[in-house]
Amino acid sequence: MALNNAQYATIMREYEEKRLQTRLLQDSRMNEIIRKIPEYKDLDNSSIDASMEYAKSALFDSPADKEKSTEKLRLHLSQIAEQKKRLLIKHGYPADYLDPVYTCPDCKDTGYIGTEKCHCFKQAIVDLLYTQSNIRDVLKKENFDNFNINYYSKTDIDPVTNLSAYDSMTGICNIAREFVADFPSSASNLLFLGKSGLGKTFLSHCIADELLKKGYTVLYLSAPQLFDILKKNNFGEKDEDVDYNELAHYVMNCDLLIIDDLGSEIVTELTASGFNICINERLLKKHSTLISTNLTPNELNDVYGERNFSRIVGFYRFCRFYGTDIRFAKKQ
Ligand SMILES: [Zn+2]
């Protein structure tokens, strides 16, 4: 995906910041350990002493002796490392407590694996170029840890399913968690149906958050954004920062595509056919898609045509959100 220099620098600065945070955390943990476990510092010192002694003798050793002392040093250092770990465990810490904690262990927050861009870099490009750049901030608040089922009524019964709003939501949450747990092997797709204010977007965020944490690529687009990309790609439009062709490729190939608020866009014959291509291609490639909409199944059928709709019926799991707008209850 095309990035200009300033954008590239922005992403690289974010990686630098992450590595700095990792180092600060590691330093503060080290200080804590030295304060609480003085023997740890002694072991640290003895590794330094052994290395210094090795460096001194290496200056004068013959090649054969040097090889022997290198081996001796290696063994000695690994024994000390073992002792350090045992010491941490003895004092109730995990053995890896002083290891660096990377946001992305795959590339150690460098953005690259060898000369290839890491998956987290590709996601960073999309975040920067097109999707809501604040999505990461949203996900800090809207995730499974902060999901509160108690906003849903136990007495408000859905006449269609005979389930209370609370029970419907419990069922949908289970489906969402299953979806995340089985991802991507099940290659399943979800359709969130229901009026606005029932938590569809919130639950989509929960799923996005979990999958991003697992290192999958997730593209979160409102329906108008999606159709805008498809249209501009169709007409070969280019603007300075965005390569629509690459972006459309990403729409078709990311691990999870979330289309939020389908039905909020102006539907033309072109958007309906763009939607058809997008849905079909992702099904063929076994890439999962999550669609949320305020439209009823009948309305979807009318707006996007029977062909599109029959694909959705056949390959998507329907989750029917029911209840009264929880946004009011949340504010209280
Ligand atoms: Zn990475």
Side-chain angles (χ1 to χ4, degrees):
M1 230 161 278
L3 278 188
N4 64 33
N5 287 342
Q7 290 166 331
Y8 185 81
T10 303
I11 294 180
M12 291 319 275
R13 252 199 318 279
E14 279 168 17
Y15 280 118
E16 253 165 57
E17 178 61 23
K18 278 182 195 163
R19 293 198 301 272
L20 176 70
Q21 291 306 326
T22 301
R23 218 167 43 237
L24 291 177
L25 176 68
Q26 217 181 352
D27 286 351
S28 90
R29 285 184 171 185
M30 181 56 98
N31 289 335
E32 176 195 353
I33 291 298
I34 288 173
R35 216 171 47 242
K36 289 192 180 157
I37 321 174
E39 305 100 287
Y40 196 93
K41 183 76 190 155
D42 299 338
L43 284 174
D44 231 14
N45 286 337
S46 63
S47 324
I48 297 169
D49 290 347
S51 301
M52 298 258 284
E53 200 167 315
Y54 164 80
K56 210 164 65 191
S57 67
L59 284 175
F60 306 105
D61 280 350
S62 67
D65 284 346
K66 200 170 162 182
E67 204 173 302
K68 247 186 264 165
S69 50
T70 309
E71 181 52 28
K72 209 173 109 190
L73 176 72
R74 203 191 53 74
L75 193 73
H76 190 57
L77 291 181
S78 80
Q79 280 165 347
I80 295 178
E82 260 319 298
Q83 283 173 299
K84 281 178 170 172
K85 280 191 177 152
R86 278 203 296 273
L87 204 54
L88 286 176
I89 293 168
K90 195 177 127 193
H91 286 83
Y93 289 97
D96 61 0
Y97 189 64
L98 294 171
D99 293 350
V101 182
Y102 295 113
T103 311
C104 176
D106 295 334
C107 67
K108 300 190 166 57
D109 296 339
T110 61
Y112 282 87
I113 300 174
T115 55
E116 291 283 306
K117 285 196 181 88
C118 181
H119 55 81
C120 66
F121 197 116
K122 292 179 187 163
Q123 184 73 42
I125 296 174
V126 172
D127 285 356
L128 183 73
L129 287 186
Y130 211 86
T131 59
Q132 313 80 337
S133 51
N134 62 347
I135 185 99
R136 304 281 165 159
D137 291 331
V138 172
L139 296 185
K140 278 180 202 151
K141 284 175 241 140
E142 305 205 339
N143 52 53
F144 277 121
D145 292 340
N146 294 329
F147 185 85
N148 189 349
I149 188 77
N150 293 318
Y151 288 130
Y152 297 84
S153 161
K154 288 182 181 171
T155 50
D156 183 3
I157 306 293
D158 181 349
V160 175
T161 60
N162 242 342
L163 291 171
S164 69
Y166 182 93
D167 286 339
S168 299
M169 204 54 211
T170 306
I172 293 173
C173 267
N174 290 341
I175 291 173
R177 286 179 188 279
E178 241 172 65
F179 179 82
V180 168
D182 295 343
F183 199 88
S185 57
S186 59
S188 58
N189 306 288
L190 299 175
L191 178 68
F192 286 178
L193 292 158
K195 287 180 290 185
S196 44
L198 297 180
K200 297 193 300 295
T201 301
F202 193 108
L203 204 61
S204 311
H205 285 156
C206 295
I207 290 174
D209 180 57
E210 289 295 316
L211 295 181
L212 284 169
K213 279 195 275 191
K214 288 182 168 186
Y216 293 109
T217 47
V218 178
L219 185 51
Y220 194 104
L221 295 172
S222 66
Q225 281 179 318
L226 170 73
F227 293 114
D228 186 53
I229 294 172
L230 297 177
K231 190 183 88 195
K232 286 179 171 161
N233 175 45
N234 243 341
F235 292 121
E237 276 188 45
K238 293 216 176 337
D239 64 46
E240 200 190 328
D241 297 334
V242 188
D243 181 336
Y244 289 101
N245 190 262
E246 288 234 35
L247 202 45
H249 178 81
Y250 198 69
V251 165
M252 303 300 183
N253 292 287
C254 61
D255 296 320
L256 174 67
L257 173 67
I258 299 178
I259 307 172
D260 193 33
D261 216 358
L262 185 72
S264 60
E265 76 289 351
I266 299 162
V267 181
T268 62
E269 210 163 291
L270 196 73
T271 45
S273 93
F275 181 63
N276 187 24
I277 292 168
C278 177
I279 295 300
N280 276 324
E281 180 140 346
R282 291 190 58 85
L283 281 174
L284 281 174
K285 291 182 169 168
K286 296 200 183 330
H287 296 317
S288 295
T289 306
L290 189 169
I291 299 174
S292 80
T293 181
N294 298 345
L295 300 182
T296 63
N298 283 340
E299 286 167 334
L300 280 177
N301 194 25
D302 291 345
V303 175
Y304 296 99
E306 218 175 318
R307 234 177 66 217
N308 279 333
F309 190 64
S310 66
R311 294 297 255 166
I312 296 180
V313 172
F315 293 96
Y316 281 63
R317 192 150 182 196
F318 280 42
C319 300
R320 187 181 146 86
F321 287 63
Y322 178 79
T324 43
D325 196 327
I326 60 162
R327 288 172 296 191
F328 181 65
K330 273 184 164 178
K331 282 211 182 87
Q332 294 187 320

